[in-house]
PDB file of all heavy atoms in Angstrom:
ATOM      1  N   GLU L   1      85.766  54.741  10.426  1.00  0.00           N
ATOM      2  CA  GLU L   1      86.084  54.814  11.855  1.00  0.00           C
ATOM      3  C   GLU L   1      87.071  55.951  12.095  1.00  0.00           C
ATOM      4  O   GLU L   1      88.098  56.032  11.440  1.00  0.00           O
ATOM      5  CB  GLU L   1      86.688  53.498  12.343  1.00  0.00           C
ATOM      6  CG  GLU L   1      87.050  53.494  13.817  1.00  0.00           C
ATOM      7  CD  GLU L   1      87.774  52.222  14.218  1.00  0.00           C
ATOM      8  OE1 GLU L   1      88.055  51.393  13.334  1.00  0.00           O
ATOM      9  OE2 GLU L   1      88.057  52.072  15.415  1.00  0.00           O
ATOM     10  N   ALA L  14     113.945  69.736  32.738  1.00  0.00           N
ATOM     11  CA  ALA L  14     113.300  71.039  32.841  1.00  0.00           C
ATOM     12  C   ALA L  14     114.009  72.049  31.945  1.00  0.00           C
ATOM     13  O   ALA L  14     115.247  72.075  31.872  1.00  0.00           O
ATOM     14  CB  ALA L  14     113.310  71.521  34.281  1.00  0.00           C
ATOM     15  N   GLY L  15     113.220  72.838  31.263  1.00  0.00           N
ATOM     16  CA  GLY L  15     113.756  73.802  30.310  1.00  0.00           C
ATOM     17  C   GLY L  15     113.849  73.276  28.894  1.00  0.00           C
ATOM     18  O   GLY L  15     114.101  74.043  27.951  1.00  0.00           O
ATOM     19  N   LEU L  57      92.915  80.098  17.421  1.00  0.00           N
ATOM     20  CA  LEU L  57      93.539  79.278  18.446  1.00  0.00           C
ATOM     21  C   LEU L  57      93.556  80.014  19.774  1.00  0.00           C
ATOM     22  O   LEU L  57      93.413  81.232  19.848  1.00  0.00           O
ATOM     23  CB  LEU L  57      94.955  78.870  18.019  1.00  0.00           C
ATOM     24  CG  LEU L  57      95.913  79.936  17.493  1.00  0.00           C
ATOM     25  CD1 LEU L  57      96.527  80.728  18.639  1.00  0.00           C
ATOM     26  CD2 LEU L  57      97.019  79.298  16.671  1.00  0.00           C
ATOM     27  N   ARG L  66     104.620  79.342  25.876  1.00  0.00           N
ATOM     28  CA  ARG L  66     105.568  78.211  25.877  1.00  0.00           C
ATOM     29  C   ARG L  66     105.141  77.104  24.903  1.00  0.00           C
ATOM     30  O   ARG L  66     106.000  76.445  24.308  1.00  0.00           O
ATOM     31  CB  ARG L  66     105.665  77.608  27.281  1.00  0.00           C
ATOM     32  CG  ARG L  66     106.144  78.569  28.342  1.00  0.00           C
ATOM     33  CD  ARG L  66     106.400  77.855  29.662  1.00  0.00           C
ATOM     34  NE  ARG L  66     105.186  77.237  30.213  1.00  0.00           N
ATOM     35  CZ  ARG L  66     105.087  75.939  30.521  1.00  0.00           C
ATOM     36  NH1 ARG L  66     106.104  75.135  30.325  1.00  0.00           N
ATOM     37  NH2 ARG L  66     103.966  75.475  31.041  1.00  0.00           N
ATOM     38  N   SER L  70      99.383  73.557  16.351  1.00  0.00           N
ATOM     39  CA  SER L  70      99.355  73.783  14.907  1.00  0.00           C
ATOM     40  C   SER L  70      98.802  72.546  14.211  1.00  0.00           C
ATOM     41  O   SER L  70      98.585  71.505  14.839  1.00  0.00           O
ATOM     42  CB  SER L  70     100.752  74.113  14.378  1.00  0.00           C
ATOM     43  OG  SER L  70     101.630  73.020  14.589  1.00  0.00           O
ATOM     44  N   LYS L  75      98.334  66.516   5.844  1.00  0.00           N
ATOM     45  CA  LYS L  75      98.620  65.221   6.462  1.00  0.00           C
ATOM     46  C   LYS L  75      97.632  64.880   7.568  1.00  0.00           C
ATOM     47  O   LYS L  75      97.723  63.824   8.168  1.00  0.00           O
ATOM     48  CB  LYS L  75     100.038  65.226   7.030  1.00  0.00           C
ATOM     49  CG  LYS L  75     101.124  65.397   5.966  1.00  0.00           C
ATOM     50  CD  LYS L  75     102.503  65.365   6.608  1.00  0.00           C
ATOM     51  CE  LYS L  75     103.587  65.525   5.561  1.00  0.00           C
ATOM     52  NZ  LYS L  75     104.953  65.529   6.177  1.00  0.00           N
ATOM     53  N   ALA L  91     102.540  64.960  32.521  1.00  0.00           N
ATOM     54  CA  ALA L  91     101.143  64.529  32.393  1.00  0.00           C
ATOM     55  C   ALA L  91     101.015  63.561  31.222  1.00  0.00           C
ATOM     56  O   ALA L  91     101.951  63.413  30.423  1.00  0.00           O
ATOM     57  CB  ALA L  91     100.229  65.729  32.167  1.00  0.00           C
ATOM     58  N   TYR L  93      99.155  63.402  27.828  1.00  0.00           N
ATOM     59  CA  TYR L  93      98.575  64.383  26.912  1.00  0.00           C
ATOM     60  C   TYR L  93      97.643  63.681  25.923  1.00  0.00           C
ATOM     61  O   TYR L  93      98.003  62.641  25.350  1.00  0.00           O
ATOM     62  CB  TYR L  93      99.689  65.121  26.164  1.00  0.00           C
ATOM     63  CG  TYR L  93     100.362  66.153  27.030  1.00  0.00           C
ATOM     64  CD1 TYR L  93     101.210  65.771  28.062  1.00  0.00           C
ATOM     65  CD2 TYR L  93     100.130  67.514  26.839  1.00  0.00           C
ATOM     66  CE1 TYR L  93     101.810  66.715  28.886  1.00  0.00           C
ATOM     67  CE2 TYR L  93     100.722  68.460  27.649  1.00  0.00           C
ATOM     68  CZ  TYR L  93     101.556  68.054  28.671  1.00  0.00           C
ATOM     69  OH  TYR L  93     102.145  68.998  29.490  1.00  0.00           O
ATOM     70  N   GLY L  98      86.252  67.511  17.566  1.00  0.00           N
ATOM     71  CA  GLY L  98      84.804  67.529  17.564  1.00  0.00           C
ATOM     72  C   GLY L  98      84.307  68.458  16.487  1.00  0.00           C
ATOM     73  O   GLY L  98      85.072  69.272  15.952  1.00  0.00           O
ATOM     74  N   GLY L 103      78.155  78.969  13.588  1.00  0.00           N
ATOM     75  CA  GLY L 103      77.938  80.329  14.045  1.00  0.00           C
ATOM     76  C   GLY L 103      78.548  80.690  15.380  1.00  0.00           C
ATOM     77  O   GLY L 103      78.275  81.773  15.911  1.00  0.00           O
ATOM     78  N   THR L 104      79.380  79.850  15.924  1.00  0.00           N
ATOM     79  CA  THR L 104      79.984  80.177  17.209  1.00  0.00           C
ATOM     80  C   THR L 104      81.374  79.559  17.283  1.00  0.00           C
ATOM     81  O   THR L 104      81.805  78.843  16.388  1.00  0.00           O
ATOM     82  CB  THR L 104      79.106  79.678  18.365  1.00  0.00           C
ATOM     83  OG1 THR L 104      79.640  80.145  19.608  1.00  0.00           O
ATOM     84  CG2 THR L 104      79.054  78.160  18.403  1.00  0.00           C
ATOM     85  N   ARG L 108      85.699  75.085  25.144  1.00  0.00           N
ATOM     86  CA  ARG L 108      86.876  74.497  25.776  1.00  0.00           C
ATOM     87  C   ARG L 108      86.567  73.183  26.486  1.00  0.00           C
ATOM     88  O   ARG L 108      87.453  72.380  26.737  1.00  0.00           O
ATOM     89  CB  ARG L 108      87.461  75.482  26.787  1.00  0.00           C
ATOM     90  CG  ARG L 108      88.001  76.750  26.148  1.00  0.00           C
ATOM     91  CD  ARG L 108      88.375  77.779  27.212  1.00  0.00           C
ATOM     92  NE  ARG L 108      88.980  78.966  26.627  1.00  0.00           N
ATOM     93  CZ  ARG L 108      90.283  79.185  26.558  1.00  0.00           C
ATOM     94  NH1 ARG L 108      91.115  78.295  27.052  1.00  0.00           N
ATOM     95  NH2 ARG L 108      90.756  80.279  25.997  1.00  0.00           N
ATOM     96  N   TRP L 116      88.742  60.995  20.785  1.00  0.00           N
ATOM     97  CA  TRP L 116      89.937  61.200  21.598  1.00  0.00           C
ATOM     98  C   TRP L 116      91.027  60.213  21.212  1.00  0.00           C
ATOM     99  O   TRP L 116      90.736  59.064  20.822  1.00  0.00           O
ATOM    100  CB  TRP L 116      89.608  60.994  23.073  1.00  0.00           C
ATOM    101  CG  TRP L 116      88.704  62.049  23.628  1.00  0.00           C
ATOM    102  CD1 TRP L 116      87.372  62.240  23.355  1.00  0.00           C
ATOM    103  CD2 TRP L 116      89.068  63.071  24.549  1.00  0.00           C
ATOM    104  NE1 TRP L 116      86.890  63.312  24.054  1.00  0.00           N
ATOM    105  CE2 TRP L 116      87.907  63.841  24.798  1.00  0.00           C
ATOM    106  CE3 TRP L 116      90.253  63.407  25.201  1.00  0.00           C
ATOM    107  CZ2 TRP L 116      87.909  64.931  25.667  1.00  0.00           C
ATOM    108  CZ3 TRP L 116      90.258  64.488  26.058  1.00  0.00           C
ATOM    109  CH2 TRP L 116      89.094  65.241  26.291  1.00  0.00           C
TER     110      TRP L 116
END
Side-chain angles (χ1 to χ4, degrees):
E1 180 186 4
L57 49 79
R66 300 188 298 124
S70 63
K75 297 181 180 179
Y93 284 72
T104 187
R108 295 171 176 262
W116 292 71

